[in-house]
């Protein structure tokens, strides 16, 4: 889909969003042939913009700080040796020192972000780094993904 031709429900946004750049980064993360595995959206003055993209999860989580509101979209590989599948998570981060007014704006702003970032297995709201560790996100994505084949050992 050409990012310049959005369905009509994407036209009206309550928060300015750099739609073309967000859409392009989103499509790159979803593209199996592209090594990019995550994107980060942040507030730049009064607009939500693509602040960073990359391939290293440790770099991804450096963007989640106590003083920021961040939207993260990440690709994770699930399955076993015989059946690898890409799964996606949308993370809404509201740092613990973000003002109450800015915290309140996140729910309406997130609705606008979700008009562009539409396909993911799990949506996560977090304010603590333990909640966005790669293993925690992977566990949550696998849990909503149904059958999990692999070693034959069940976790308790």
């Amino acid at each position: 889909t050409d990012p310049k031709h959005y369905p009509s429900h994407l036209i009206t946004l309550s928060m300015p969003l750099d739609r073309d750049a967000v859409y392009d980064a989103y499509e790159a993360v979803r593209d199996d042939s592209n090594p990019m595995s995550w994107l980060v959206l942040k507030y730049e003055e009064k607009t939500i913009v693509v602040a960073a993209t990359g391939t290293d999860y440790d770099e991804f989580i450096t963007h989640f700080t106590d003083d920021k509101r961040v939207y993260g979209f990440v690709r994770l590989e699930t399955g076993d040796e015989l059946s690898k599948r890409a799964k996606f998570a949308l993370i809404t981060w509201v740092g613990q020192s973000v003002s109450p007014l800015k915290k309140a704006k996140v729910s309406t702003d997130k609705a606008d972000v979700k008009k562009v970032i539409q396909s993911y297995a799990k949506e996560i709201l977090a304010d603590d780094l333990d909640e966005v560790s790669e293993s925690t996100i992977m566990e949550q994505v696998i849990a909503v993904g149904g059958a999990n084949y692999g070693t034959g050992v069940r976790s308790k």
Side-chain angles (χ1 to χ4, degrees):
T1 306
D2 183 341
K4 310 292 187 256
H5 297 96
Y6 296 101
S8 59
H9 71 278
L10 295 179
I11 302 302
T12 305
L13 300 173
S14 59
M15 177 72 181
L17 178 73
D18 186 355
R19 284 183 296 198
D20 291 344
V22 172
Y23 182 85
D24 290 345
Y26 166 69
E27 286 296 309
V29 171
R30 291 187 44 76
D31 182 352
D32 290 338
S33 66
N34 190 317
M36 186 189 307
S37 61
W38 57 263
L39 67 86
V40 167
L41 306 179
K42 290 185 181 176
Y43 293 81
E44 189 174 281
E45 296 183 20
K46 295 189 182 239
T47 304
I48 298 172
V49 300
V50 177
T53 59
T55 58
D56 179 48
Y57 197 91
D58 290 336
E59 181 186 348
F60 175 60
I61 62 173
T62 64
H63 294 278
F64 301 103
T65 58
D66 275 350
D67 62 334
K68 298 289 184 205
R69 298 171 292 165
V70 176
Y71 304 94
F73 181 69
V74 63
R75 165 200 278 282
L76 300 161
E77 295 293 326
T78 65
D80 60 22
E81 317 70 47
L82 302 175
S83 177
K84 294 269 185 211
R85 292 174 295 284
K87 298 289 183 182
F88 303 91
L90 174 63
I91 300 166
T92 301
W93 171 270
V94 182
Q96 294 179 8
S97 64
V98 170
S99 75
L101 184 62
K102 288 182 177 179
K103 283 181 181 179
K105 285 265 309 140
V106 167
S107 62
T108 54
D109 296 346
K110 179 171 62 170
D112 291 340
V113 168
K114 289 167 67 173
K115 288 178 181 175
V116 179
I117 298 177
Q118 297 183 349
S119 182
Y120 43 88
K122 180 71 177 168
E123 181 178 350
I124 296 154
L125 176 61
D127 67 357
D128 184 287
L129 283 176
D130 289 341
E131 297 170 323
V132 294
S133 73
E134 188 170 13
S135 61
T136 299
I137 301 297
M138 181 67 83
E139 285 171 17
Q140 291 187 42
V141 167
I142 288 170
V144 298
N148 183 30
Y149 306 106
T151 63
V153 176
R154 291 181 185 224
S155 25
K156 298 188 180 202

